[in-house]
Amino acid sequence: MSPALILFLIVVGAYLAAHVAFEYIGKRLLIVSGAEYILLGVLLGPQVAGIMSADLLKSFAPVTALALGWMGAIIGSRFVLKNMVRVPGVTYRIAFVESAVTLLLVAGAELLLLRWLFALSTPRAVGPALALGTFAVASAVTGIEFAAQRYGGRGPVVTQLRVTASVNLFVAITTFGILLSGNHPAEASSIRPLTTTEWTVITIAIGVVGGALFHLLLGDEERVDRLFISLTGMVILVSGAATYLRLSPVMASMFFGLLLVNTTRRRHEVTAALHRVERPLYFALLIVAGASWRPSAQPAWLLPVFLFVIARVVAKLGGSRLATRLNDMLPVLGPEWGRALLGQGGIVIALAVNYLYQDTLALPNVVFSAAIFSVLLTDLASGRFAASVLMPRGMPGGAEAVATPTAERA
Amino acid sequence: MRRLIILALLLAGMGLILPLGARGHGGQWLLTFGFLVVAADAVGRLATGFRIPTIVGFLAAGVVFGPSGLGTISADALRQLAPVSSLAIALIAFLAGAELRWSELRSRGILILKILASEMSFTFVAVAGTLFLLRSRVPFLAGTDDITAALFSLMFAAIAVVHSPAVTMALLSETKARGPVARTTLGVVLLSDVAVILLFSAVLALLRALSPPAEGAGNGVSMLGLLWEIGGAVIVGSVLGAVVALYLRWVRRELFLFAILVAFFGAEVARLTHVETLLAMLTAGFVAENLSPHELGEALRHAMERSAAPVFVVFFALAGAALEISALRTLWLLVMPIVIARLVALWAGASLGARWAGATVDERRYVWMGLVSQAGVAIGLVTIVAEVYPTRGSEMRTLFLAVLAVNQTLGPIIFRLALSRSGELSPPGGAPSDAASAPA
């Protein structure tokens, strides 16, 4: 069967699964979907049915890279500075402290375990440990938004959750991008190897120059189709450039999206255009991720996976509580708001796929497995977590009151 | 000025990025694709500043940045992007088919057939005659006897009558023209694809019978294969179109994704069943449009146009990159008479055919101008000849590509002029123009 037909069947299958089977199951069992596409990928991949072979997955690499970049651009488009400056500074402080605590706690725990379990040197173990730390930081936005819409989208807790989720994403993507910059393979053509800082600057520059080019390209053009061509072309170019240089397309595109949304007069059209293409690319990414999974050859590979899940829960709950306490905001936010940050969303899968495709970093399958397992677990209940935090006091039942958002996004 | 800055920045960026990465590593495909979309779009919009159609700009970008120009896009990268061309052809053909309503075909079918028959006949005779007269200068005819020269001239002419649905559709999408000249031109161009395949096969069969290939290479086209290629395309396209219509009626969701999948799947099925892709997708578009309620068909067309926009840019840029400019430099003394003869024949044939069919004054005057462009289908046909007659065929291919380079560049400019003169160009930001022409 030709790769094109396989891809077609996969996407059709995913679509039908999304809108027929899983929507029904999701409403019944109150599951936030996204995980089912990963499972579909696992079923189709080399580990089970073998319909998607390893070579076929390799041929999808450009589509995967584009999906990573597109997600990065969408995340970047969330950072509208005009709205961000209206939020009190303490909200950001809490968010950054929570992100830092989560990153350090999970990365530190994983570093210790990976060094001991797989007899890795510290420099070698830092890569996978830091990657897991960044995955732990990321929080899904969709569950929070859904619960906020359901129970009233205002109040300090909702604001704190929204800002923290956004900051989590920014920190996760930037840290991951720096990780890739620091582990960049030396190129034979260069006079001297570029430093981590230089590669990081290049990553950001790709996004910034892409944003500038977009404005030059679009100019005063009013037509929607012209905007779409310019936007698509630039996202492809930015993602392609970052992927070609073996940097993070998510980070480069995030800065592209960030610059775009803060410098264009047509912000709503730009974000609408970005969201229009998001779903098919997101489906394809999740399915490819599922199909790319395979158990690690390392013994006891499940231990770091379990540690990741547990450490992340502890870090999110403890880190949010600590950050709130340090900023004297416990009476306003309460101690439990961090529970709504437990959902992870598709960005973790995107970063994990990016990690998997790098050949300079250790334990790719362990790291990838940890990400997938964690997303599968947390996505099942992220809607309920958020609802339990935002539901007004005295309202009967948690689960019955929560409907299910489908197609979980970053 | 702004576009020039964009191009300068792009080239500078590529110059900085390419040495830093590893060629052949994943990501080069995406980088090349992104560069082509942005660069070709910038050149295309630069072209509109000179009142030249954007697709000419896309072609020019391909020439400039392709292997025969600056070499920013390597030949290897072009080969990797070939699937994009297949997808583009499928999208174009579907959209073209969706433009045709059954009621319109019934009312204008005879008109289109008469113009088609007339212009094809004139062009066929004119191009064959020109080549035959110049046979001593033509590489693949020099030194042959008169009968062989005549046969190969006919073969070349059978390919030279090809038009370009891609250019026609792209220009109509860009200009939003919907008047009689636009619609008649589209009808002639779409039907000519079927006619050309029939004519080509007949002439090739005659050539093989009277001048058997000495090298014995290639099988050419069998009658049964040809019948399946065309008939099967109609069957496959009809089934696909019916499925699309059912989807629009009962599901109606995710049209953007569905549009891409239809093109993808349709092209793949056509390839696997060995039917003509263009005709299959054309039929699919026609059936889907005519079986669906109008507003649903319109919604799918809009979704397809949106998804197709970046693909079209790359398609024409790739077409430009594949043009044999070097061949044009060496063969221009031969190319120009052929081009001129074809132009004159198109004018005479289309005008007479329109008069014969009782068309409007504008159709008589301007339809021929929309028939000048030539397409990649012709490259496929001349490649078949090259497989059957390796030596003569490859020389014929070289000459044809040089002729194609001129027609593909001039064609959109002339067609746009025709739409402008007939008053069918919509004003900037305005509604599509359905300017009615004076009756015959």
Side-chain angles (χ1 to χ4, degrees):
Chain A
M1 202 184 281
S2 72
L5 256 183
I6 292 173
L7 182 61
F8 171 79
L9 289 170
I10 287 165
V11 181
V12 166
Y15 173 76
L16 288 173
H19 285 281
V20 180
F22 291 117
E23 197 168 290
Y24 174 77
I25 295 171
K27 278 183 182 154
R28 281 279 179 171
L29 300 179
L30 302 167
I31 296 169
V32 175
S33 71
E36 62 272 22
Y37 306 113
I38 302 172
L39 289 173
L40 185 65
V42 172
L43 290 173
L44 295 172
Q47 298 304 310
V48 183
I51 293 171
M52 293 178 72
S53 65
D55 284 338
L56 184 65
L57 286 172
K58 227 174 162 182
S59 69
F60 290 163
V63 176
T64 309
L66 178 59
L68 297 181
W70 205 276
M71 288 181 73
I74 289 176
I75 290 169
S77 71
R78 292 174 56 84
F79 300 108
V80 181
L81 294 174
K82 198 172 65 172
N83 298 336
M84 287 169 68
V85 297
R86 290 188 201 139
V87 177
V90 65
T91 310
Y92 290 107
R93 282 199 300 273
I94 293 172
F96 274 104
V97 170
E98 183 274 320
S99 301
V101 168
T102 304
L103 176 65
L104 290 170
L105 188 66
V106 175
E110 289 287 352
L111 178 66
L112 292 171
L113 179 65
L114 293 175
R115 279 184 57 207
W116 170 74
L117 198 60
F118 302 120
L120 293 177
S121 63
T122 303
R124 196 90 177 107
V126 162
L130 192 55
L132 288 169
T134 64
F135 297 168
V137 171
S139 301
V141 172
T142 312
I144 296 169
E145 289 299 334
F146 184 80
Q149 278 171 28
R150 181 91 180 165
Y151 298 112
R154 287 178 288 278
V157 176
V158 174
T159 305
Q160 184 64 59
L161 283 171
R162 283 182 174 140
V163 169
T164 307
S166 298
V167 168
N168 284 168
L169 290 173
F170 183 85
V171 168
I173 292 169
T174 308
T175 311
F176 188 79
I178 296 171
L179 172 65
L180 294 193
S181 301
N183 284 273
H184 196 277
E187 293 302 324
S189 58
S190 40
I191 300 164
R192 63 161 177 87
L194 297 181
T195 63
T196 303
T197 307
E198 285 166 335
W199 281 120
T200 304
V201 168
I202 288 173
T203 309
I204 297 171
I206 289 171
V208 169
V209 171
L213 273 174
F214 172 82
H215 286 299
L216 284 173
L217 200 60
L218 191 63
D220 298 325
E221 190 64 66
E222 293 290 330
R223 288 187 296 173
V224 176
D225 60 337
R226 282 294 176 203
L227 182 144
F228 186 70
I229 292 177
S230 304
L231 185 62
T232 308
M234 287 318 307
V235 174
I236 294 173
L237 185 61
V238 167
S239 308
T243 307
Y244 178 74
L245 292 175
R246 302 174 76 167
L247 300 169
S248 171
V250 186
M251 181 176 168
S253 298
M254 183 182 73
F255 281 95
F256 167 75
L258 195 155
L259 183 78
L260 208 62
V261 85
N262 287 289
T263 52
T264 183
R265 286 169 299 152
R266 304 174 69 183
R267 190 169 74 237
H268 297 295
E269 284 122 316
V270 166
T271 48
L274 283 171
H275 283 289
R276 193 181 303 137
V277 185
E278 181 197 2
R279 283 165 70 91
L281 286 174
Y282 184 62
F283 287 172
L285 178 68
L286 291 179
I287 292 169
V288 166
S292 302
W293 175 78
R294 61 176 193 269
S296 174
Q298 301 281 353
W301 60 272
L302 277 172
L303 280 177
V305 174
F306 288 141
L307 176 64
F308 175 77
V309 174
I310 295 165
R312 184 176 180 270
V313 171
V314 168
K316 281 290 177 185
L317 296 177
S320 57
R321 191 177 288 208
L322 176 66
T324 314
R325 186 185 290 276
L326 287 175
N327 288 278
D328 297 322
M329 288 291 283
L330 267 178
V332 178
L333 300 175
E336 303 294 332
W337 65 273
R339 209 171 345 143
L341 301 173
L342 289 177
Q344 285 195 274
I347 189 58
V348 173
I349 301 298
L351 296 177
V353 168
N354 203 180
Y355 188 93
L356 196 65
Y357 284 176
Q358 304 297 318
D359 46 23
T360 55
L361 292 161
L363 304 174
N365 293 313
V366 172
V367 169
F368 194 61
S369 298
I372 287 195
F373 273 78
S374 180
V375 168
L376 284 172
L377 282 173
T378 57
D379 269 16
L380 285 172
S382 67
R384 295 178 193 229
F385 290 144
S388 68
V389 169
L390 295 177
M391 190 168 51
R393 286 180 192 278
M395 192 158 177
E400 294 80 15
V402 177
T404 308
T406 55
E408 169 72 34
R409 300 183 196 130
Chain B
M1 189 61 196
R2 186 158 45 92
R3 313 286 177 211
L4 291 173
I5 295 172
I6 293 169
L7 291 170
L9 283 173
L10 275 174
L11 280 172
M14 289 294 277
L16 286 171
I17 286 173
L18 286 174
L20 285 177
R23 282 185 193 259
H25 189 269
Q28 189 175 2
W29 188 97
L30 203 61
L31 177 63
T32 309
F33 186 58
F35 173 80
L36 261 184
V37 172
V38 179
D41 192 55
V43 176
R45 291 200 237 176
L46 199 60
T48 55
F50 297 96
R51 293 181 174 272
I52 297 172
T54 51
I55 54 174
V56 175
F58 300 158
L59 290 168
V63 171
V64 169
F65 298 118
S68 53
L70 296 174
T72 313
I73 310 298
S74 64
D76 195 43
L78 283 183
R79 272 191 295 275
Q80 287 177 358
L81 286 170
V84 177
S85 292
S86 306
L87 181 64
I89 288 171
L91 281 166
I92 288 166
F94 190 94
L95 280 169
E99 286 289 328
L100 301 171
R101 303 259 347 149
W102 177 242
S103 54
E104 189 180 348
L105 264 187
R106 274 209 316 263
S107 62
R108 301 171 73 82
I110 302 296
L111 165 73
I112 291 170
L113 280 172
K114 284 181 176 174
I115 295 175
L116 178 66
S118 179
E119 62 90 5
M120 272 187 74
S121 308
F122 272 69
T123 310
F124 183 67
V125 169
V127 171
T130 305
L131 266 181
F132 187 74
L133 288 172
L134 295 172
R135 61 190 181 279
S136 58
R137 294 174 185 272
V138 178
F140 57 91
L141 297 181
T144 59
D145 58 275
D146 285 351
I147 292 183
T148 307
L151 287 169
F152 276 94
S153 300
L154 288 174
M155 190 74 258
F156 188 95
I159 305 170
V161 297
V162 155
H163 304 305
S164 176
V167 169
T168 309
M169 277 306 301
L171 208 54
L172 294 184
S173 293
E174 179 188 333
T175 58
K176 305 280 186 276
R178 291 285 186 272
V181 171
R183 301 202 71 74
T184 303
T185 305
L186 181 65
V188 171
V189 165
L190 293 179
L191 285 181
S192 73
D193 245 34
V194 180
V196 161
I197 292 172
L198 291 169
L199 176 66
F200 172 82
S201 302
V203 173
L204 183 61
L206 182 69
L207 182 61
R208 285 167 62 89
L210 297 179
S211 180
E215 296 92 348
N219 293 323
V221 177
S222 74
M223 211 47 187
L224 213 58
L226 174 69
L227 276 172
W228 170 246
E229 203 174 314
I230 295 179
V234 175
I235 295 169
V236 168
S238 300
V239 170
L240 182 62
V243 169
V244 171
L246 280 173
Y247 180 92
L248 287 176
R249 201 174 281 270
W250 296 111
V251 183
R252 299 183 203 181
R253 287 196 283 193
E254 301 285 356
L255 288 185
F256 183 81
L257 172 62
F258 183 67
I260 298 170
L261 288 178
V262 164
F264 214 21
F265 184 62
E268 191 59 19
V269 169
R271 189 184 68 82
L272 291 172
T273 52
H274 304 290
V275 300
E276 229 275 305
T277 304
L278 204 93
L279 185 58
M281 294 306 293
L282 210 139
T283 309
F286 177 74
V287 169
E289 171 65 24
N290 287 278
L291 288 183
S292 308
H294 177 70
E295 64 278 5
L296 295 179
E298 186 106 2
L300 180 63
R301 268 211 312 282
H302 285 319
M304 220 169 221
E305 281 166 4
R306 237 181 295 129
S307 65
V311 178
F312 282 4
V313 174
V314 175
F315 171 70
F316 286 106
L318 290 176
L323 290 179
E324 296 268 352
I325 302 300
S326 54
L328 182 61
R329 273 199 293 268
T330 52
L331 293 170
W332 72 275
L333 275 175
L334 199 51
V335 165
M336 296 321 293
I338 297 171
V339 167
I340 292 168
R342 184 174 176 269
L343 280 173
V344 172
L346 281 173
W347 166 74
S351 305
L352 278 171
R355 190 179 290 273
W356 172 30
T360 62
V361 169
D362 279 347
E363 282 169 322
R364 273 186 247 151
R365 276 188 195 150
Y366 301 121
V367 165
W368 74 271
M369 295 166 84
L371 306 177
V372 175
S373 299
Q374 289 191 296
V377 168
I379 299 175
L381 295 177
V382 80
T383 304
I384 292 173
V385 177
E387 285 170 8
V388 180
Y389 300 91
T391 310
R392 282 213 183 93
S394 65
E395 287 169 349
M396 185 188 290
R397 189 176 188 275
T398 305
L399 176 62
F400 191 84
L401 288 178
V403 170
L404 187 78
V406 177
N407 288 328
Q408 214 164 10
T409 311
L410 282 182
I413 299 172
I414 295 175
F415 187 26
R416 195 181 190 284
L417 191 62
L419 294 173
S420 171
R421 285 187 178 171
S422 60
E424 293 186 13
L425 277 186
S426 57
S433 171
D434 289 309
S437 306

